[in-house]
Structures are given as C-alpha cells and as structure tokens.
Amino acid sequence: MPQTCPPPRRRLEYLLEKVGLGPDDYQTIAPHKELFASRAEEFGRYFLEFFLAIDATSLVLRRQSDPQRLAAVLGHWFGALFRQAMSPSFLVEMWQSGVRHVELNLDQRYVNLGYSVARQFCQRIAAEGLPPGARAGVLAVIDKLLDACVLVATDSFITCTSRCDNQVIAGIAHQVRNPVTIIGGNISRLQRQAQRDSGAWRAFETVLAENRRLERMLGDIAAYSELYRAEPRPEACPLEPILRQAAGRLTEHGQSPRPEQWLAIELDPAHAVAFADRAEMTLMFFHLLENAAQASDPAEPIVRVVSGPGPRPDFLRVSIQNSGKSPDPAQIDTLFQPFTSSRPMGTGFGLPIAALAARRNLGGLSLQPAPQGGALCLVDLPTPEDRAMAQ
C-alpha cells in the first residue's frame, strides 16, 4: 500500500500553509514544547485506554497490534508533534498513518475522534502547567498543529481509499476486456457465414454493436481509473494545440469528420494558457469535444470553442457550444454520473472523466442550455499566475 500511495509533498505543504502555521507560531510554542512532549508516554497510555473502552475500536486495536507497543507509538507521535512540529519527516509520518488506517479498514470518524482526544489532553496540560497569560496563545498554535494533522491524515485516507477502489475497478475492466474481444471475434466469424440481411445477420450485427459499446466502455473505465494513479503534474498548457490534438483523435477513431468541417476555435490570446496537467487536459477536451460533436445538429454540425476570463482573476474559462438540442436542465446532473448516456450506444463515461480531470486540476466543469439553442459546456481552469495553488 505505501508504495502505491506516495505522499503528495506539494499538496501537503499547501494544506499546511492554508492552516496558517508560520514562524511566529513556532516561536510562541517553543518555550513550552517540552512541557507537552515530556507527557508523551502518559498520552500514549491515556489514548489507548480511551479507545480500548470503545467496542468498535477495541476489537481492531487488540487484533492488529500489541497494546503496549501501540501505546509507545502513540506516545512517539505526541512527542514528535511538539519536538518536530511540521517537519517534512513528520508530514510523511502523518501521511503514512492515513495509509495504515486504510489497511486496517479503520472508520475515519474514530480517527477524527482521536485528534479530539489529543486536543483535550493538550488543554489539560495547558491548564496544569502554563501561566494563565500564555495559555490562549499556545493553545491556538496547538489547534493549528492538530488541524494540520487531521488534514494530512484525512487526505491520505481519502487518496488511498479512492486509489484502492479504482485499482479493483481497473483490474475488473482488464480481466473482462479479453473475453469481450474474443466474443466479438467469434460473432464476426459467425456473421460472415450468414446471408446478408437475413434475420441471423441482423441479430449478429446487434450483438456486435453492443460488443463494440462494451469495448469502448471498458476503455473509458480504464481511463477513469487511471486518473487516480498519480498526482497531476501541472505546467503551462497552451490550449489551442491541446484542443486540436483532441479533435484529431476523434477523426482518427472515426468518431467525427475532419475538424475543419465542424470545429471553430476562437481563443482570447489573454486567456489561452492554463496551468494544468497536459495529458489530463488532452483527455478532458477529447471527451468534451466528442460529447459536443455527437450531440450537434446532424444537418449542421458545429462546435464552437471560445475562451475568456474565469470566475476569479487567476482563472480562465473555456466555453464549448454545439448546434444540437438543448439539454433538459432537470437531467443535467445525471449526465455526470457514470453509465448515464443520452445516446443508445454511449458509454456514459465521457462527462464523468472530463469532470474528474477538471477537478483534479483545481478547475470546474458545468453544463447548461445555451441561450441560442444547443448545449453550453463551461470549463474553469487555473492560469499560470495561480501556480502555487495548482501545485
């Protein structure tokens, strides 16, 4: 597990920054850190006794670890919280604790309760040993330290849980792909032996169409799961080459005519570069253009892509509008759910993949009826000026 969930150091540093911990906080607590760290062993015993008294956690603790050893580990964490503060090595330890919680299948609610217990223990020490004038300032810093611990451990838990779930999904998709391919090959062979336009030939054609849909669906499931395998690697991404590459892939796959026959790209030069993962942006725009092209008016297929300022100064907005039927506002939310498609042979993964890629790059994606008719897809993405947040 730890090998498949490496700590995302940049994101952890970003979370730490947003908690508000800074040099002044460390100076505030420095004269008093040994007052707290010296109670590490006591904390380990106190914490362990608290959770051994809860049936749901007692069973896990007694089954997975020697109680005395666990008390020592908990005491080490408490001492390091004050002696190491939020050093890089301590952040890694906190991340790995979240990984361990996944391995133990530990309910995250009890993990959060544990940090509440630690907070109460610190308040007791402060009441017993700190001068009244220093208590408020020191406890405010301790609150920040424990808030940071909660964020890091929760980030680890969510990341690893999602990754484990998607590894299972990707494995199933991989195992099913070969049988589906074999079935398709055998149906094609049987169809060639049937008289064209006979009832048998048409039945085989129906089965082949569904087989091809399953193959595309398996490919989309694999792509969806693949997004969870690694953290985005943001860089300055000029959007026009990415859009044209995505449109070219549609033509290569036989899913649309040549782009110049249906695609108009009109980007504002001042809002034409995003700060995001290039591969994920290519995947996102591939599915958005595919969705827009397939939903366009067959008599006059047009997809228009423009860019402009985003909802914040450090964001841009890409608008993708087609010439087709306007989506039903009441049904829009369901279109972002996997396996939901308005087309008989659709896989229902295009918009979920695109929305996930946008979120992973700190952007957003929405769909609405266009005022002039058709569908309007809005993609908000950070710009290079917002580089610290994107990292």
Side-chain angles (χ1 to χ4, degrees), residues 78-306:
F78 190 79
L81 177 66
F82 294 96
R83 292 184 175 126
Q84 297 184 30
M86 286 293 157
S87 67
S89 62
F90 185 75
L91 282 176
V92 170
E93 285 187 27
M94 289 305 308
W95 173 267
Q96 290 173 341
S97 75
V99 175
R100 182 62 174 158
H101 297 158
V102 176
E103 292 174 341
L104 295 176
N105 196 28
L106 194 60
D107 191 322
Q108 185 67 15
R109 288 170 292 189
Y110 289 113
V111 175
N112 292 340
L113 176 59
Y115 288 111
S116 178
V117 170
R119 202 180 304 265
Q120 294 170 19
F121 189 81
C122 290
Q123 290 170 352
R124 192 175 76 189
I125 295 175
E128 295 171 355
L130 282 179
R135 287 175 193 166
V138 171
L139 286 174
V141 175
I142 290 174
D143 281 341
K144 291 182 181 180
L145 287 170
L146 291 173
D147 287 344
C149 290
V150 171
L151 281 172
V152 172
T154 303
D155 186 277
S156 170
F157 184 87
I158 292 172
T159 300
C160 293
T161 300
S162 300
R163 194 161 294 173
C164 290
D165 291 344
N166 281 278
Q167 285 173 348
V168 172
I169 294 170
I172 293 172
H174 176 74
Q175 294 300 320
V176 172
R177 182 185 295 274
N178 286 342
V180 167
T181 302
I182 293 170
I183 291 169
N186 281 293
I187 294 297
S188 294
R189 179 175 58 82
L190 291 172
Q191 186 186 44
R192 288 194 295 270
Q193 297 173 5
Q195 184 176 352
R196 191 174 183 83
D197 293 334
S198 65
W201 190 94
R202 288 192 293 272
F204 288 138
E205 184 64 21
T206 299
V207 174
L208 279 173
E210 288 295 335
N211 185 266
R212 287 190 289 269
R213 187 173 76 92
L214 278 175
E215 288 183 335
R216 291 197 305 274
M217 185 179 294
L218 291 171
D220 286 346
I221 290 173
Y224 187 86
S225 301
E226 186 69 21
L227 285 171
Y228 286 95
R229 289 182 63 85
E231 290 298 306
R233 304 181 67 175
E235 59 179 298
C237 294
L239 294 178
E240 182 157 351
I242 290 175
L243 286 162
R244 297 204 178 278
Q245 180 182 355
R249 282 182 55 196
L250 288 175
T251 302
E252 292 171 7
H253 293 182
Q255 295 172 250
S256 74
R258 295 176 63 83
E260 56 267 23
Q261 298 177 23
W262 59 274
L263 179 63
I265 299 177
E266 304 168 6
L267 302 183
D268 178 354
H271 302 93
V273 180
F275 191 69
D277 184 291
R278 186 180 299 272
E280 294 187 8
M281 290 298 96
T282 303
L283 179 67
M284 179 187 74
F285 282 115
F286 170 82
H287 285 288
L288 291 180
L289 292 179
E290 176 189 41
N291 187 73
Q294 291 177 345
S296 292
D297 183 354
E300 191 178 0
I302 297 175
V303 175
R304 184 167 175 261
V305 183
V306 301

